[in-house]
Amino acid sequence: MRTNSGGLDSGPSLDLQRFLKTWGTLLGFVFLVVLFSLLRPDAFAQIRNLRNLVEQVATLAIASAGVGMVMVTGDFDLSVGAVASLSGVILASLLVSGVGIAPAILLTVLAGAAIGAVNGLIIAYAGVSPFIGTLAAMTSYTGLALFITRGTTVFGLPAAFRWIGQGRVGPIPTPVVIMVGVVLATWILLDYTTFGQRLYAIGGNRQAAYLAGINTSRARFFAYVYSGVTASISGIVLTSRLFSAHPQAAAPFMLNAAAAVFLGMTAFRDGQPNAFGTVLGVLIMGVLSNGLNIVGVDTYIQSVLTGAILILAVLLSGLSQRSA
Amino acid sequence: MAKPRLQLRAVRKNYPGVRALDGVEFDARAGEVHALVGENGAGKSTLIKIVAGVVAADEGEILVDGRATAVRSAADARRSGFAFIHQELNLVEYFGAAENVFLGHPVPKRFGLFSRRRLREMTGRVFDTFGVSIPMDRPVRYLAPGQRAMVAIGRAFVHDASIYFMDEPATALTSREKERLFALIHTLREQGNTVVCVTHNLDDVFMIADRVTVLREGKRIGTWPTGEIDKDTLIAKMIGSAAQRAPEPVERTRGAVLLSVNGIAGAGVGPVSFTVRAGEVLGIGGLVGAGRSTLLQMLAGALKVRSGEITFGDRPYRPRTPGCALRKGVTLIPEERRAQGLALGLSVRANTIVSSLERFATAGLMRFSAAARAAEQAGSRARVKTASYRQVVQTLSGGNQQKVMFARALLTAPKVLLLDEPTKGVDIGARGEIYEIIRRLTGEGVGVVLVSSEFDEMLTLSDRLVFLREGRQGRTVANEGLTQHDYLRLCYMGVDDEN
């Protein structure tokens, strides 16, 4: 016989468990910040360094927002890195050929949306599995970027373009402002619109969502479009930061964005990707890489530790016990 | 008289609140096909699970060739020579027939290496003894249902099984495949094996079985040679005289025709015609596998209608997706609430409002307070019991989960409600509450189309009954003074059959 939940079952230990499940990842983040601050108060805990750190992770955070939206439906987008790189290449080519900054940016974002739409068609409508579909797409987009640039880096961007990636709005770096904008937009879309409710319903049980009347193909399609848009915005910011466009500049985003979303799934919302969780995931990865650098840990060992911490976070959050 | 190969003595099994098996005796002989029949809940599945070592009996013993045998696990069952062919055949979909047949068996080697050719030869010999041929060059996922069943039987055969338990083996088979399967069952019998066959299909019983045992409410009613009993008597034994009562009459004012279905066909079902009126419950009668769920899914836009016409109100109705159907006022509560109904990891609220999101949004932005209020209202109308609407649906009981499905349907304000097994896996208390909800809805003029494998439920709730038999239309009758006996007979009757 099963007893009713509540009553005897919900002792203090269960509350603690639930507390850790919701806030554990955030506590882990705070722990990392405190740890590095204590280890190197002179270098890590400086406003300058922290501002630099946030500025560094902003591009990944922007791209991860879209990947998170795709992952809410239970799908996957491996092509973000390639889309961001390709967007940078498209933008730089437009700028170099004399197109104005504003129209060039607009065209690039539209291109990002179109690329996302192609992904969406392949996966949501043609029914290719997300993993294979975006992996194949990634290969093609990378090839396209290499073809456009002939494998070289595009230089010679107009000086005014620096502001996007290296400027300030008051005391705040422009990339951070853009990141906050994208994250807020993602948060509103996911948590406050019918679109977001549909995405979560699809992620919860796609067949059930379909039978409940949701146009699952359309919702998944637009999640990919959104991912294409955020990837291209991320590519634009990155191009301005580097002040050049390399056809594979954003390649590491492919796995880092997914890792950030996975880390974020362990925070706030029980086992589902969410807008702020993803930012937290990006920040954890940023603090780790920045802090380990300052402490003087070998770069290669940093990768080893990042992977281990991702596994640890998933194990501790109990996410591993969920199927799928 | 042949000695029993398998004997069950005084097997007793209680589940909390239910006496599943109450001192059941059963025996099956070598070279015999023995059918096991009974209504849902009669104890057939429990009996099979005990023999399979999946559940333990509270009392009683299993004897093989007169020796008491302990069956505590699937491995014990296999050692005793038992083989089970379930509806889910447990095949490795990407392997070929030969690889599946010899799965878990030592494989033939040549020069120390696995020899696929010899494996196929050996498998071919197995199928030859059955007199069937199965293509071996393709994964079993591409085989027809009948061929897949043969593969499962072939596997049991190479594992030296001598007592075969088959659970509804002929469901999902075409009539030709069915003939082949029955021929194979005969072959197994000729070779001295024992076949115990659980089935709903009484025609099959008379076609293949030597003897038939009837279970009812956990008790063995009797065992008869199939030559000494007829179908009607068998039905009477299955239902029992006590259960032969007319359902309580339901007073209803029947309204205008809502849905008019004219000869629709698709996915192996049809052509079927019927009408659904406002304020009535139309039961779709028939046995498991008759195509009733398929019919509901066609009406709900989840399966394609290939031909025929549907009129809804006075407009043609041909929903392409469940979303189209919902917008027109046709709502389905699907059979598999966990697989097809609920997002188990999401909250009660999210699951309740998922079909009505647009109603609680302005320009795409959710109005959560309105949605929460409406969800709680619908929930209380559907008698959902939950500590909080933020609670994850997974934590609710089966009955409460089903009521969440009803709350969702209520929120869509349906004109026609399609119910597929609405009380499957639901406890008695919740069942009563669900009946109450259905009655209230019809009182409000909703037309309900009901599919249930429980005769009792069909007879209690339905005003009229349309029967399906193997995908074809059978009789249409008013539910006036029908007994369970009549109902079961109607399940077997074609549209033109004499009474």
Side-chain angles (χ1 to χ4, degrees):
Chain A
M1 279 286 280
R2 206 192 302 161
T3 52
N4 253 336
S5 61
L8 292 174
D9 287 352
S10 53
S13 67
L14 202 86
D15 284 347
L16 182 69
Q17 222 173 24
R18 179 170 294 171
F19 176 81
L20 281 179
K21 228 172 167 173
T22 313
W23 302 105
T25 312
L26 187 62
L27 287 178
F29 171 68
V30 171
F31 169 78
L32 284 177
V33 172
V34 171
L35 178 75
F36 288 125
S37 302
L38 289 177
L39 285 174
R40 292 294 303 272
D42 55 318
F44 182 81
Q46 297 294 313
I47 292 290
R48 216 185 114 74
N49 180 52
L50 293 181
R51 192 160 61 189
N52 191 31
L53 187 158
V54 179
E55 209 178 313
Q56 270 171 4
V57 298
T59 45
L60 178 61
I62 295 166
S64 303
V67 175
M69 187 161 293
V70 168
M71 284 172 67
V72 165
T73 68
D75 283 4
F76 216 72
D77 190 351
L78 287 175
S79 73
V80 274
V83 176
S85 305
L86 178 59
S87 299
V89 166
I90 292 172
L91 176 74
S93 309
L94 288 170
L95 290 175
V96 168
S97 64
V99 179
I101 292 173
I105 287 175
L106 188 67
L107 285 172
T108 306
V109 172
L110 285 177
I115 294 169
V118 170
N119 286 348
L121 284 177
I122 294 171
I123 290 150
Y125 285 102
V128 177
S129 97
F131 194 83
I132 296 167
T134 56
L135 187 70
M138 176 195 84
T139 314
S140 295
Y141 303 149
T142 304
L144 202 57
L146 287 165
F147 172 76
I148 293 172
T149 59
R150 291 274 144 214
T152 60
T153 305
V154 183
F155 293 103
L157 305 177
F161 178 59
R162 253 181 221 283
W163 181 78
I164 301 278
Q166 302 173 37
R168 297 247 184 290
V169 178
I172 307 164
T174 319
V176 177
V177 174
I178 296 172
M179 173 187 87
V180 169
V182 169
V183 169
L184 287 179
T186 309
W187 174 56
I188 289 169
L189 276 174
L190 280 179
D191 284 20
Y192 291 96
T193 67
T194 51
F195 176 60
Q197 299 299 298
R198 289 195 196 101
L199 295 183
Y200 277 115
I202 294 167
N205 183 340
R206 199 199 301 168
Q207 198 196 355
Y210 177 71
L211 286 177
I214 289 173
N215 189 335
T216 52
S217 304
R218 188 167 65 193
R220 290 169 75 206
F221 172 81
F222 279 112
Y224 281 102
V225 171
Y226 188 77
S227 184
V229 168
T230 56
S232 74
I233 294 174
S234 157
I236 292 166
V237 175
L238 185 68
T239 306
S240 171
R241 273 176 58 77
L242 303 173
F243 213 59
S244 65
H246 185 271
Q248 289 181 303
F253 284 7
M254 171 181 87
L255 292 178
N256 287 343
V261 176
F262 274 125
L263 268 175
M265 282 167 74
T266 66
F268 309 131
R269 217 179 150 129
D270 185 20
Q272 289 150 350
N274 59 93
F276 293 128
T278 304
V279 177
L280 183 61
V282 171
L283 285 174
I284 288 175
M285 303 212 316
V287 165
L288 257 183
S289 126
N290 178 288
L292 291 173
N293 247 333
I294 288 177
V295 177
V297 176
D298 184 280
T299 356
Y300 300 134
I301 293 298
Q302 283 180 29
S303 290
V304 175
L305 287 176
T306 308
I309 281 167
L310 185 59
I311 297 289
L312 193 71
V314 170
L315 284 177
L316 286 180
S317 71
L319 208 64
S320 54
Q321 279 143 35
R322 295 168 54 93
S323 54
Chain B
M1 196 189 248
K3 260 179 46 186
R5 281 239 53 208
L6 171 74
Q7 247 180 309
L8 304 185
R9 274 205 200 135
V11 175
R12 208 176 293 278
K13 175 72 192 175
N14 291 326
Y15 288 115
V18 190
R19 180 162 295 170
L21 289 176
D22 193 4
V24 167
E25 307 273 337
F26 178 82
D27 72 272
R29 302 169 190 149
E32 174 185 55
V33 177
H34 195 137
L36 191 58
V37 300
E39 286 192 278
N40 293 318
K44 295 167 298 182
S45 315
T46 309
L47 193 73
I48 298 292
K49 281 183 191 157
I50 286 171
V51 182
V54 177
V55 301
D58 298 336
E59 281 171 44
E61 52 183 356
I62 301 173
L63 289 84
V64 179
D65 294 327
R67 264 196 310 278
T69 307
V71 184
R72 288 192 203 86
S73 66
D76 283 347
R78 182 186 285 192
R79 260 194 299 280
S80 307
F82 301 167
F84 298 87
I85 290 97
H86 296 288
Q87 273 171 283
E88 302 85 36
L89 298 168
N90 296 323
L91 301 177
V92 182
E93 298 289 339
Y94 292 93
F95 280 13
E99 288 81 354
N100 265 295
V101 165
F102 279 90
L103 194 71
H105 202 268
V107 294
K109 301 230 172 99
R110 241 182 103 133
F111 311 121
L113 293 173
F114 165 65
S115 163
R116 175 163 280 123
R117 212 186 63 196
R118 287 191 44 198
L119 184 72
R120 288 186 177 175
E121 281 166 13
M122 287 167 61
T123 311
R125 277 200 292 278
V126 172
F127 289 132
D128 283 346
T129 58
F130 297 163
V132 296
S133 76
I134 304 277
M136 299 215 210
D137 53 350
R138 63 184 87 150
V140 293
R141 62 199 284 248
Y142 297 120
L143 298 182
Q147 295 176 319
R148 293 162 56 86
M150 309 274 173
V151 172
I153 294 169
R155 179 197 290 172
F157 187 81
V158 303
H159 282 285
D160 288 327
S162 56
I163 305 177
Y164 293 78
F165 296 87
M166 302 190 185
D167 187 6
E168 297 286 352
T171 322
L173 300 194
T174 64
S175 51
R176 259 196 68 195
E177 287 177 333
K178 205 157 138 176
E179 272 172 37
R180 289 243 188 86
L181 177 72
F182 288 174
L184 172 50
I185 290 175
H186 274 291
T187 312
L188 287 173
R189 185 183 65 173
E190 295 305 309
Q191 292 170 347
N193 296 294
T194 303
V195 179
V196 178
C197 189
V198 175
T199 180
H200 273 101
N201 194 330
L202 299 187
D203 291 331
D204 291 355
V205 169
F206 288 98
M207 210 177 299
I208 58 168
D210 301 300
R211 290 192 300 161
V212 54
T213 291
V214 175
L215 292 184
R216 188 174 73 226
E217 288 163 6
K219 292 195 177 71
R220 187 184 78 148
I221 300 306
T223 300
W224 298 271
T226 45
E228 294 173 19
I229 191 168
D230 61 28
K231 198 156 97 183
D232 273 358
T233 319
L234 198 56
I235 290 171
K237 300 285 183 195
M238 284 165 66
I239 294 159
S241 49
Q244 283 205 38
R245 54 176 167 73
E248 297 162 38
V250 197
E251 288 286 323
R252 263 173 217 148
T253 47
R254 232 168 281 165
V257 171
L258 283 175
L259 204 60
S260 162
V261 176
N262 288 314
I264 61 163
V269 170
V272 185
S273 302
F274 55 84
T275 57
V276 184
R277 290 174 172 275
E280 78 165 347
V281 176
L282 177 75
I284 310 287
L287 300 167
V288 173
R292 299 177 298 163
S293 296
T294 307
L295 181 62
L296 285 193
Q297 300 222 335
M298 286 198 287
L299 294 179
L303 282 176
K304 208 174 160 188
V305 177
R306 265 196 297 99
S307 57
E309 270 162 29
I310 313 174
T311 329
F312 184 36
D314 45 12
R315 290 252 185 88
Y317 168 80
R318 187 61 87 85
R320 281 180 304 105
T321 65
C324 296
L326 271 167
R327 279 189 290 279
K328 297 207 164 133
V330 178
T331 303
L332 168 72
I333 297 186
E335 178 180 4
E336 301 291 339
R337 107 182 124 247
R338 285 166 162 270
Q340 308 174 318
L342 296 164
L344 291 169
L346 297 187
S347 66
V348 174
R349 188 180 74 183
N351 273 289
T352 307
I353 65 174
V354 68
S355 289
S356 324
L357 292 173
E358 282 84 4
R359 260 181 62 195
F360 306 113
T362 313
L365 280 175
M366 290 294 299
R367 286 180 281 115
F368 279 121
S369 54
R373 242 179 293 125
E376 284 178 35
Q377 259 169 27
S380 75
R381 277 181 72 199
R383 305 276 185 271
V384 173
K385 289 175 198 73
T386 175
S388 151
Y389 279 75
R390 292 174 178 279
Q391 198 164 333
V392 176
V393 158
Q394 194 151 30
T395 59
L396 301 186
S397 69
N400 260 315
Q401 290 181 355
Q402 188 67 357
K403 289 191 251 168
V404 171
M405 293 300 296
F406 271 91
R408 177 196 295 174
L410 290 180
L411 261 190
T412 64
K415 295 196 182 77
V416 174
L417 184 61
L418 311 172
L419 301 176
D420 199 350
E421 305 286 358
T423 61
K424 190 175 174 182
V426 163
D427 58 276
I428 303 265
R431 178 171 302 212
E433 287 173 327
I434 286 172
Y435 288 179
E436 208 33 62
I437 299 166
I438 296 171
R439 291 210 177 91
R440 228 175 327 123
L441 281 168
T442 50
E444 291 162 14
V446 174
V448 174
V449 183
L450 172 72
V451 166
S452 167
S453 351
E454 311 227 2
F455 297 177
D456 206 23
E457 184 160 297
M458 293 295 285
L459 290 172
T460 307
L461 292 174
S462 309
D463 295 296
R464 289 186 305 135
L465 289 156
V466 174
F467 283 86
L468 284 188
R469 195 185 66 160
E470 293 176 1
R472 307 277 166 271
Q473 178 143 23
R475 294 296 179 87
T476 304
V477 297
N479 183 15
E480 280 158 12
L482 286 184
T483 62
Q484 297 203 14
H485 186 107
D486 300 330
Y487 182 91
L488 193 53
R489 274 205 336 191
L490 284 161
C491 288
Y492 290 108
M493 232 181 254
V495 72
D496 305 319
D497 291 359
E498 289 292 316
N499 255 357

